[in-house]
mmCIF file of all heavy atoms in Angstrom:
data_model
loop_
_atom_site.group_PDB
_atom_site.id
_atom_site.type_symbol
_atom_site.label_atom_id
_atom_site.label_comp_id
_atom_site.label_asym_id
_atom_site.label_seq_id
_atom_site.Cartn_x
_atom_site.Cartn_y
_atom_site.Cartn_z
ATOM 1 N N LYS Z 1 114.814 47.073 107.571
ATOM 2 C CA LYS Z 1 114.067 46.170 106.685
ATOM 3 C C LYS Z 1 112.573 46.280 106.960
ATOM 4 O O LYS Z 1 111.781 46.133 106.005
ATOM 5 C CB LYS Z 1 114.585 44.732 106.878
ATOM 6 C CG LYS Z 1 113.909 43.731 105.927
ATOM 7 C CD LYS Z 1 114.439 42.343 106.245
ATOM 8 C CE LYS Z 1 113.735 41.272 105.362
ATOM 9 N NZ LYS Z 1 114.240 39.929 105.682
ATOM 10 N N ASN Z 2 112.213 46.476 108.175
ATOM 11 C CA ASN Z 2 110.775 46.475 108.579
ATOM 12 C C ASN Z 2 110.160 47.844 108.463
ATOM 13 O O ASN Z 2 109.018 48.069 108.958
ATOM 14 C CB ASN Z 2 110.599 45.947 109.999
ATOM 15 C CG ASN Z 2 110.919 44.451 110.073
ATOM 16 O OD1 ASN Z 2 110.764 43.715 109.149
ATOM 17 N ND2 ASN Z 2 111.407 44.010 111.268
ATOM 18 N N GLY Z 3 110.834 48.809 107.858
ATOM 19 C CA GLY Z 3 110.201 50.109 107.547
ATOM 20 C C GLY Z 3 110.728 51.345 108.261
ATOM 21 O O GLY Z 3 110.355 52.463 107.899
ATOM 22 N N ALA Z 4 111.549 51.133 109.269
ATOM 23 C CA ALA Z 4 112.150 52.331 109.943
ATOM 24 C C ALA Z 4 113.180 52.893 109.009
ATOM 25 O O ALA Z 4 113.887 52.248 108.300
ATOM 26 C CB ALA Z 4 112.794 51.925 111.273
ATOM 27 N N LYS Z 5 113.295 54.258 109.067
ATOM 28 C CA LYS Z 5 114.340 54.952 108.303
ATOM 29 C C LYS Z 5 115.633 54.947 109.103
ATOM 30 O O LYS Z 5 115.642 55.369 110.257
ATOM 31 C CB LYS Z 5 113.875 56.384 107.972
ATOM 32 C CG LYS Z 5 114.836 57.129 107.067
ATOM 33 C CD LYS Z 5 114.258 58.498 106.711
ATOM 34 C CE LYS Z 5 115.152 59.225 105.767
ATOM 35 N NZ LYS Z 5 114.574 60.554 105.387
ATOM 36 N N VAL Z 6 116.715 54.465 108.508
ATOM 37 C CA VAL Z 6 117.982 54.411 109.235
ATOM 38 C C VAL Z 6 119.028 55.155 108.436
ATOM 39 O O VAL Z 6 119.252 54.859 107.254
ATOM 40 C CB VAL Z 6 118.440 52.950 109.457
ATOM 41 C CG1 VAL Z 6 119.836 52.940 110.190
ATOM 42 C CG2 VAL Z 6 117.409 52.171 110.281
ATOM 43 N N ILE Z 7 119.640 56.170 109.067
ATOM 44 C CA ILE Z 7 120.655 56.980 108.403
ATOM 45 C C ILE Z 7 121.961 56.881 109.192
ATOM 46 O O ILE Z 7 122.020 57.091 110.362
ATOM 47 C CB ILE Z 7 120.234 58.478 108.353
ATOM 48 C CG1 ILE Z 7 118.895 58.591 107.554
ATOM 49 C CG2 ILE Z 7 121.293 59.349 107.728
ATOM 50 C CD1 ILE Z 7 118.251 59.925 107.668
ATOM 51 N N PHE Z 8 122.990 56.471 108.460
ATOM 52 C CA PHE Z 8 124.305 56.301 109.061
ATOM 53 C C PHE Z 8 125.248 57.427 108.589
ATOM 54 O O PHE Z 8 125.510 57.614 107.477
ATOM 55 C CB PHE Z 8 124.864 54.916 108.589
ATOM 56 C CG PHE Z 8 126.315 54.635 109.015
ATOM 57 C CD1 PHE Z 8 126.792 55.132 110.215
ATOM 58 C CD2 PHE Z 8 127.120 53.872 108.231
ATOM 59 C CE1 PHE Z 8 128.105 54.840 110.645
ATOM 60 C CE2 PHE Z 8 128.409 53.584 108.618
ATOM 61 C CZ PHE Z 8 128.909 54.065 109.787
ATOM 62 N N VAL Z 9 125.729 58.193 109.632
ATOM 63 C CA VAL Z 9 126.677 59.285 109.365
ATOM 64 C C VAL Z 9 128.017 58.778 109.950
ATOM 65 O O VAL Z 9 128.238 58.808 111.170
ATOM 66 C CB VAL Z 9 126.248 60.591 110.096
ATOM 67 C CG1 VAL Z 9 127.252 61.696 109.902
ATOM 68 C CG2 VAL Z 9 124.874 61.006 109.572
ATOM 69 N N PRO Z 10 128.935 58.318 109.138
ATOM 70 C CA PRO Z 10 130.223 57.746 109.651
ATOM 71 C C PRO Z 10 131.081 58.739 110.415
ATOM 72 O O PRO Z 10 131.050 59.925 110.137
ATOM 73 C CB PRO Z 10 130.938 57.268 108.364
ATOM 74 C CG PRO Z 10 129.902 57.150 107.297
ATOM 75 C CD PRO Z 10 128.915 58.251 107.646
ATOM 76 N N GLY Z 11 131.772 58.200 111.406
ATOM 77 C CA GLY Z 11 132.709 59.008 112.219
ATOM 78 C C GLY Z 11 134.131 58.705 111.860
ATOM 79 O O GLY Z 11 134.379 58.075 110.870
ATOM 80 N N ASN Z 12 135.045 59.168 112.707
ATOM 81 C CA ASN Z 12 136.489 58.932 112.393
ATOM 82 C C ASN Z 12 136.885 57.457 112.630
ATOM 83 O O ASN Z 12 137.762 56.971 111.965
ATOM 84 C CB ASN Z 12 137.371 59.888 113.186
ATOM 85 C CG ASN Z 12 137.038 59.924 114.677
ATOM 86 O OD1 ASN Z 12 135.913 60.151 115.089
ATOM 87 N ND2 ASN Z 12 138.058 59.649 115.520
ATOM 88 N N HIS Z 13 136.286 56.790 113.613
ATOM 89 C CA HIS Z 13 136.584 55.401 113.836
ATOM 90 C C HIS Z 13 136.043 54.446 112.835
ATOM 91 O O HIS Z 13 136.575 53.370 112.673
ATOM 92 C CB HIS Z 13 136.161 55.007 115.264
ATOM 93 C CG HIS Z 13 137.064 55.533 116.362
ATOM 94 N ND1 HIS Z 13 138.042 54.735 116.960
ATOM 95 C CD2 HIS Z 13 137.145 56.719 116.895
ATOM 96 C CE1 HIS Z 13 138.659 55.470 117.855
ATOM 97 N NE2 HIS Z 13 138.180 56.687 117.841
ATOM 98 N N ASP Z 14 134.953 54.836 112.192
ATOM 99 C CA ASP Z 14 134.421 53.998 111.087
ATOM 100 C C ASP Z 14 134.465 54.835 109.745
ATOM 101 O O ASP Z 14 133.569 54.742 108.930
ATOM 102 C CB ASP Z 14 133.014 53.466 111.319
ATOM 103 C CG ASP Z 14 132.098 54.551 111.916
ATOM 104 O OD1 ASP Z 14 132.290 55.765 111.706
ATOM 105 O OD2 ASP Z 14 131.080 54.122 112.581
ATOM 106 N N GLU Z 15 135.597 55.543 109.590
ATOM 107 C CA GLU Z 15 135.750 56.365 108.428
ATOM 108 C C GLU Z 15 135.824 55.604 107.100
ATOM 109 O O GLU Z 15 135.637 56.139 106.028
ATOM 110 C CB GLU Z 15 137.026 57.264 108.550
ATOM 111 C CG GLU Z 15 138.288 56.471 108.686
ATOM 112 C CD GLU Z 15 139.483 57.345 109.075
ATOM 113 O OE1 GLU Z 15 139.315 58.554 109.026
ATOM 114 O OE2 GLU Z 15 140.519 56.785 109.424
ATOM 115 N N PHE Z 16 136.037 54.278 107.226
ATOM 116 C CA PHE Z 16 136.017 53.400 106.025
ATOM 117 C C PHE Z 16 134.691 53.545 105.275
ATOM 118 O O PHE Z 16 134.613 53.365 104.015
ATOM 119 C CB PHE Z 16 136.305 51.977 106.351
ATOM 120 C CG PHE Z 16 135.316 51.396 107.368
ATOM 121 C CD1 PHE Z 16 134.149 50.819 106.985
ATOM 122 C CD2 PHE Z 16 135.618 51.369 108.730
ATOM 123 C CE1 PHE Z 16 133.241 50.294 107.883
ATOM 124 C CE2 PHE Z 16 134.724 50.847 109.658
ATOM 125 C CZ PHE Z 16 133.542 50.319 109.238
ATOM 126 N N ALA Z 17 133.628 53.794 106.007
ATOM 127 C CA ALA Z 17 132.280 53.867 105.441
ATOM 128 C C ALA Z 17 132.077 55.192 104.691
ATOM 129 O O ALA Z 17 131.115 55.301 103.941
ATOM 130 C CB ALA Z 17 131.221 53.745 106.516
ATOM 131 N N ARG Z 18 132.964 56.131 104.798
ATOM 132 C CA ARG Z 18 132.830 57.426 104.123
ATOM 133 C C ARG Z 18 133.034 57.241 102.601
ATOM 134 O O ARG Z 18 132.688 58.105 101.848
ATOM 135 C CB ARG Z 18 133.815 58.479 104.696
ATOM 136 C CG ARG Z 18 133.348 58.901 106.061
ATOM 137 C CD ARG Z 18 134.317 59.899 106.752
ATOM 138 N NE ARG Z 18 133.735 60.380 107.955
ATOM 139 C CZ ARG Z 18 134.425 61.105 108.937
ATOM 140 N NH1 ARG Z 18 135.703 61.395 108.692
ATOM 141 N NH2 ARG Z 18 133.803 61.524 109.963
ATOM 142 N N GLU Z 19 133.631 56.144 102.213
ATOM 143 C CA GLU Z 19 133.789 55.833 100.793
ATOM 144 C C GLU Z 19 132.427 55.540 100.173
ATOM 145 O O GLU Z 19 132.263 55.578 98.892
ATOM 146 C CB GLU Z 19 134.691 54.650 100.580
ATOM 147 C CG GLU Z 19 136.111 54.853 101.029
ATOM 148 C CD GLU Z 19 136.986 53.648 100.765
ATOM 149 O OE1 GLU Z 19 136.607 52.828 99.906
ATOM 150 O OE2 GLU Z 19 138.025 53.502 101.437
ATOM 151 N N PHE Z 20 131.401 55.216 101.021
ATOM 152 C CA PHE Z 20 130.085 54.873 100.498
ATOM 153 C C PHE Z 20 128.988 55.902 100.767
ATOM 154 O O PHE Z 20 127.801 55.601 100.715
ATOM 155 C CB PHE Z 20 129.676 53.487 101.116
ATOM 156 C CG PHE Z 20 130.713 52.431 101.001
ATOM 157 C CD1 PHE Z 20 131.484 52.059 102.056
ATOM 158 C CD2 PHE Z 20 130.980 51.847 99.769
ATOM 159 C CE1 PHE Z 20 132.475 51.104 101.973
ATOM 160 C CE2 PHE Z 20 132.004 50.882 99.648
ATOM 161 C CZ PHE Z 20 132.679 50.525 100.753
ATOM 162 N N VAL Z 21 129.429 57.116 100.998
ATOM 163 C CA VAL Z 21 128.493 58.248 101.216
ATOM 164 C C VAL Z 21 127.577 58.439 100.006
ATOM 165 O O VAL Z 21 128.015 58.248 98.878
ATOM 166 C CB VAL Z 21 129.286 59.536 101.563
ATOM 167 C CG1 VAL Z 21 128.372 60.784 101.379
ATOM 168 C CG2 VAL Z 21 129.838 59.509 102.944
ATOM 169 N N ASP Z 22 126.315 58.671 100.364
ATOM 170 C CA ASP Z 22 125.268 58.833 99.323
ATOM 171 C C ASP Z 22 124.818 57.524 98.678
ATOM 172 O O ASP Z 22 124.122 57.460 97.670
ATOM 173 C CB ASP Z 22 125.645 59.838 98.225
ATOM 174 C CG ASP Z 22 125.848 61.233 98.797
ATOM 175 O OD1 ASP Z 22 125.172 61.623 99.784
ATOM 176 O OD2 ASP Z 22 126.732 61.926 98.283
ATOM 177 N N MET Z 23 125.222 56.398 99.287
ATOM 178 C CA MET Z 23 124.753 55.089 98.867
ATOM 179 C C MET Z 23 123.794 54.508 99.876
ATOM 180 O O MET Z 23 123.722 55.021 101.046
ATOM 181 C CB MET Z 23 125.928 54.131 98.650
ATOM 182 C CG MET Z 23 126.891 54.554 97.533
ATOM 183 S SD MET Z 23 128.208 53.336 97.255
ATOM 184 C CE MET Z 23 129.178 54.139 96.010
ATOM 185 N N THR Z 24 123.112 53.419 99.529
ATOM 186 C CA THR Z 24 122.199 52.755 100.465
ATOM 187 C C THR Z 24 122.592 51.289 100.479
ATOM 188 O O THR Z 24 122.722 50.619 99.477
ATOM 189 C CB THR Z 24 120.714 52.901 100.021
ATOM 190 O OG1 THR Z 24 120.386 54.272 99.991
ATOM 191 C CG2 THR Z 24 119.788 52.185 100.957
ATOM 192 N N PHE Z 25 122.743 50.728 101.727
ATOM 193 C CA PHE Z 25 123.096 49.332 101.916
ATOM 194 C C PHE Z 25 122.091 48.702 102.894
ATOM 195 O O PHE Z 25 121.977 49.140 104.016
ATOM 196 C CB PHE Z 25 124.511 49.190 102.412
ATOM 197 C CG PHE Z 25 125.586 49.642 101.443
ATOM 198 C CD1 PHE Z 25 126.049 50.948 101.487
ATOM 199 C CD2 PHE Z 25 126.058 48.772 100.487
ATOM 200 C CE1 PHE Z 25 127.021 51.374 100.624
ATOM 201 C CE2 PHE Z 25 127.053 49.221 99.599
ATOM 202 C CZ PHE Z 25 127.523 50.485 99.617
ATOM 203 N N GLY Z 26 121.408 47.670 102.414
ATOM 204 C CA GLY Z 26 120.420 46.994 103.305
ATOM 205 C C GLY Z 26 119.421 47.946 103.913
ATOM 206 O O GLY Z 26 119.105 47.895 105.109
ATOM 207 N N HIS Z 27 118.935 48.871 103.110
ATOM 208 C CA HIS Z 27 117.945 49.849 103.532
ATOM 209 C C HIS Z 27 118.506 50.928 104.461
ATOM 210 O O HIS Z 27 117.738 51.732 105.030
ATOM 211 C CB HIS Z 27 116.712 49.173 104.203
ATOM 212 C CG HIS Z 27 116.085 48.147 103.405
ATOM 213 N ND1 HIS Z 27 115.241 48.369 102.329
ATOM 214 C CD2 HIS Z 27 116.189 46.768 103.499
ATOM 215 C CE1 HIS Z 27 114.841 47.221 101.800
ATOM 216 N NE2 HIS Z 27 115.410 46.234 102.500
ATOM 217 N N VAL Z 28 119.807 50.957 104.621
ATOM 218 C CA VAL Z 28 120.447 51.978 105.484
ATOM 219 C C VAL Z 28 121.154 53.004 104.545
ATOM 220 O O VAL Z 28 121.968 52.665 103.701
ATOM 221 C CB VAL Z 28 121.545 51.334 106.394
ATOM 222 C CG1 VAL Z 28 122.282 52.430 107.180
ATOM 223 C CG2 VAL Z 28 120.867 50.354 107.344
ATOM 224 N N ASP Z 29 120.776 54.304 104.735
ATOM 225 C CA ASP Z 29 121.333 55.369 103.918
ATOM 226 C C ASP Z 29 122.644 55.883 104.583
ATOM 227 O O ASP Z 29 122.692 56.163 105.772
ATOM 228 C CB ASP Z 29 120.404 56.580 103.777
ATOM 229 C CG ASP Z 29 119.129 56.172 103.064
ATOM 230 O OD1 ASP Z 29 119.162 55.341 102.163
ATOM 231 O OD2 ASP Z 29 118.035 56.710 103.421
ATOM 232 N N VAL Z 30 123.730 56.006 103.798
ATOM 233 C CA VAL Z 30 124.968 56.480 104.306
ATOM 234 C C VAL Z 30 125.122 57.967 103.853
ATOM 235 O O VAL Z 30 125.081 58.255 102.660
ATOM 236 C CB VAL Z 30 126.190 55.683 103.808
ATOM 237 C CG1 VAL Z 30 127.477 56.134 104.392
ATOM 238 C CG2 VAL Z 30 125.966 54.150 104.119
ATOM 239 N N LYS Z 31 125.302 58.839 104.793
ATOM 240 C CA LYS Z 31 125.465 60.300 104.514
ATOM 241 C C LYS Z 31 126.583 60.854 105.330
ATOM 242 O O LYS Z 31 126.835 60.502 106.443
ATOM 243 C CB LYS Z 31 124.132 61.007 104.822
ATOM 244 C CG LYS Z 31 122.950 60.567 104.034
ATOM 245 C CD LYS Z 31 121.716 61.437 104.260
ATOM 246 C CE LYS Z 31 120.550 60.969 103.453
ATOM 247 N NZ LYS Z 31 119.378 61.851 103.633
ATOM 248 N N MET Z 32 127.264 61.864 104.736
ATOM 249 C CA MET Z 32 128.318 62.551 105.421
ATOM 250 C C MET Z 32 127.760 63.410 106.572
ATOM 251 O O MET Z 32 128.354 63.550 107.648
ATOM 252 C CB MET Z 32 129.170 63.408 104.464
ATOM 253 C CG MET Z 32 130.485 63.867 105.043
ATOM 254 S SD MET Z 32 131.591 62.474 105.386
ATOM 255 C CE MET Z 32 132.894 63.343 106.396
ATOM 256 N N ASN Z 33 126.615 63.999 106.317
ATOM 257 C CA ASN Z 33 125.862 64.740 107.317
ATOM 258 C C ASN Z 33 124.405 64.825 106.814
ATOM 259 O O ASN Z 33 124.135 64.411 105.661
ATOM 260 C CB ASN Z 33 126.412 66.158 107.526
ATOM 261 C CG ASN Z 33 126.616 66.949 106.281
ATOM 262 O OD1 ASN Z 33 125.578 67.301 105.618
ATOM 263 N ND2 ASN Z 33 127.842 67.216 105.909
ATOM 264 N N ASP Z 34 123.530 65.373 107.607
ATOM 265 C CA ASP Z 34 122.139 65.430 107.221
ATOM 266 C C ASP Z 34 121.474 66.576 107.907
ATOM 267 O O ASP Z 34 121.934 67.086 108.928
ATOM 268 C CB ASP Z 34 121.413 64.140 107.531
ATOM 269 C CG ASP Z 34 120.079 63.981 106.806
ATOM 270 O OD1 ASP Z 34 120.030 64.439 105.627
ATOM 271 O OD2 ASP Z 34 119.123 63.424 107.384
ATOM 272 N N ILE Z 35 120.375 67.079 107.314
ATOM 273 C CA ILE Z 35 119.520 68.063 107.960
ATOM 274 C C ILE Z 35 118.216 67.382 108.370
ATOM 275 O O ILE Z 35 117.522 66.867 107.492
ATOM 276 C CB ILE Z 35 119.217 69.265 107.040
ATOM 277 C CG1 ILE Z 35 120.547 69.959 106.606
ATOM 278 C CG2 ILE Z 35 118.301 70.231 107.793
ATOM 279 C CD1 ILE Z 35 121.304 70.620 107.728
ATOM 280 N N HIS Z 36 117.948 67.336 109.654
ATOM 281 C CA HIS Z 36 116.758 66.722 110.143
ATOM 282 C C HIS Z 36 115.756 67.791 110.523
ATOM 283 O O HIS Z 36 116.140 68.743 111.273
ATOM 284 C CB HIS Z 36 117.029 65.824 111.356
ATOM 285 C CG HIS Z 36 115.798 65.331 111.993
ATOM 286 N ND1 HIS Z 36 115.081 64.250 111.508
ATOM 287 C CD2 HIS Z 36 115.151 65.671 113.166
ATOM 288 C CE1 HIS Z 36 114.053 64.021 112.349
ATOM 289 N NE2 HIS Z 36 114.102 64.897 113.323
ATOM 290 N N GLU Z 37 114.492 67.716 110.172
ATOM 291 C CA GLU Z 37 113.493 68.641 110.584
ATOM 292 C C GLU Z 37 112.571 67.968 111.568
ATOM 293 O O GLU Z 37 112.001 66.955 111.312
ATOM 294 C CB GLU Z 37 112.625 69.147 109.350
ATOM 295 C CG GLU Z 37 111.640 70.199 109.777
ATOM 296 C CD GLU Z 37 111.036 70.896 108.543
ATOM 297 O OE1 GLU Z 37 111.617 70.864 107.462
ATOM 298 O OE2 GLU Z 37 109.900 71.452 108.722
ATOM 299 N N THR Z 38 112.514 68.564 112.761
ATOM 300 C CA THR Z 38 111.696 68.067 113.840
ATOM 301 C C THR Z 38 110.182 68.288 113.585
ATOM 302 O O THR Z 38 109.810 69.027 112.658
ATOM 303 C CB THR Z 38 112.059 68.693 115.202
ATOM 304 O OG1 THR Z 38 111.720 70.079 115.152
ATOM 305 C CG2 THR Z 38 113.568 68.493 115.526
ATOM 306 N N ALA Z 39 109.356 67.627 114.373
ATOM 307 C CA ALA Z 39 107.902 67.746 114.154
ATOM 308 C C ALA Z 39 107.418 69.168 114.332
ATOM 309 O O ALA Z 39 106.425 69.577 113.787
ATOM 310 C CB ALA Z 39 107.191 66.805 115.127
ATOM 311 N N ASP Z 40 108.155 69.986 115.156
ATOM 312 C CA ASP Z 40 107.729 71.343 115.370
ATOM 313 C C ASP Z 40 108.483 72.336 114.508
ATOM 314 O O ASP Z 40 108.545 73.555 114.751
ATOM 315 C CB ASP Z 40 107.834 71.760 116.851
ATOM 316 C CG ASP Z 40 109.266 71.586 117.406
ATOM 317 O OD1 ASP Z 40 110.117 71.095 116.657
ATOM 318 O OD2 ASP Z 40 109.473 71.929 118.587
ATOM 319 N N GLY Z 41 109.151 71.801 113.420
ATOM 320 C CA GLY Z 41 109.735 72.663 112.388
ATOM 321 C C GLY Z 41 111.185 73.101 112.615
ATOM 322 O O GLY Z 41 111.678 73.891 111.804
ATOM 323 N N LYS Z 42 111.857 72.647 113.655
ATOM 324 C CA LYS Z 42 113.262 73.000 113.849
ATOM 325 C C LYS Z 42 114.127 72.230 112.878
ATOM 326 O O LYS Z 42 113.978 71.014 112.666
ATOM 327 C CB LYS Z 42 113.728 72.731 115.271
ATOM 328 C CG LYS Z 42 113.105 73.619 116.310
ATOM 329 C CD LYS Z 42 113.719 73.339 117.678
ATOM 330 C CE LYS Z 42 113.135 74.233 118.750
ATOM 331 N NZ LYS Z 42 111.693 73.932 119.059
ATOM 332 N N ARG Z 43 115.154 72.831 112.278
ATOM 333 C CA ARG Z 43 116.065 72.237 111.418
ATOM 334 C C ARG Z 43 117.394 71.961 112.124
ATOM 335 O O ARG Z 43 118.000 72.901 112.666
ATOM 336 C CB ARG Z 43 116.315 73.072 110.126
ATOM 337 C CG ARG Z 43 115.075 73.241 109.307
ATOM 338 C CD ARG Z 43 115.295 74.243 108.176
ATOM 339 N NE ARG Z 43 116.141 73.675 107.135
ATOM 340 C CZ ARG Z 43 117.361 74.156 106.838
ATOM 341 N NH1 ARG Z 43 117.814 75.235 107.435
ATOM 342 N NH2 ARG Z 43 118.052 73.606 105.870
#
């Protein structure tokens, strides 16, 4: 809520959340997986 980016990648124990992949709840993005690029360019 205060501006940090929060990405939730559900696991097998919270697989119920996989029904909401590609949605956003309370400023939290739900994704099955993601590609993160580091400050020095690593993917």
